[in-house]
Amino acid sequence: FNPKEAFSLWHEAASAGHADAQFSLACCYVDGFGTVVDQEKATLWHLKAAEKRVIDSQYNIAIRYEEGLGVERNLLEAERWYIEAAISGLL
């Protein structure tokens, strides 16, 4: 298992619009898995997945807005995404 190859495949699928790959790619940027840590890119990909109703990305983008990770801190946006995650079924 090669992290750089996995990252490359997730990037390709995410760029093609695959929501789960967008979530996975965001996580790669958060953790530096197969790439360098990049909070702004992590936020970008979590947002793309969140907009496609990926619950984990909805929750993660809420945290990122709340804490200002890779995006300007915005508590109203954080609240909106926490609510979206709850509506989507996050327990």
Side-chain angles (χ1 to χ4, degrees), residues 16-57:
H18 191 278
D20 290 333
Q22 290 170 340
F23 168 76
S24 295
L25 188 63
C27 293
C28 288
Y29 281 117
V30 168
D31 298 328
F33 182 81
T35 189
V36 297
V37 171
D38 188 323
Q39 296 300 333
E40 290 178 8
K41 288 182 181 177
T43 298
L44 170 78
W45 288 106
H46 269 309
L47 186 57
K48 288 179 182 284
E51 290 170 344
K52 292 183 178 170
R53 305 199 62 78
V54 175
I55 296 171
D56 289 332
S57 277

Side-chain angles (χ1 to χ4, degrees), residues 2-87:
N2 183 323
K4 288 184 180 185
E5 286 181 34
F7 173 83
S8 178
L9 292 171
W10 277 321
H11 194 280
E12 183 178 334
S15 297
H18 191 278
D20 290 333
Q22 290 170 340
F23 168 76
S24 295
L25 188 63
C27 293
C28 288
Y29 281 117
V30 168
D31 298 328
F33 182 81
T35 189
V36 297
V37 171
D38 188 323
Q39 296 300 333
E40 290 178 8
K41 288 182 181 177
T43 298
L44 170 78
W45 288 106
H46 269 309
L47 186 57
K48 288 179 182 284
E51 290 170 344
K52 292 183 178 170
R53 305 199 62 78
V54 175
I55 296 171
D56 289 332
S57 277
Q58 289 175 331
Y59 180 70
N60 276 284
I61 200 69
I63 291 170
R64 300 183 83 68
Y65 274 116
E66 182 177 10
E67 296 181 5
L69 296 170
V71 67
E72 187 174 329
R73 190 170 189 241
N74 185 327
L75 297 179
L76 289 175
E77 277 298 299
E79 178 183 41
R80 179 174 87 85
W81 284 109
Y82 281 127
I83 290 168
E84 286 294 322
I87 290 169

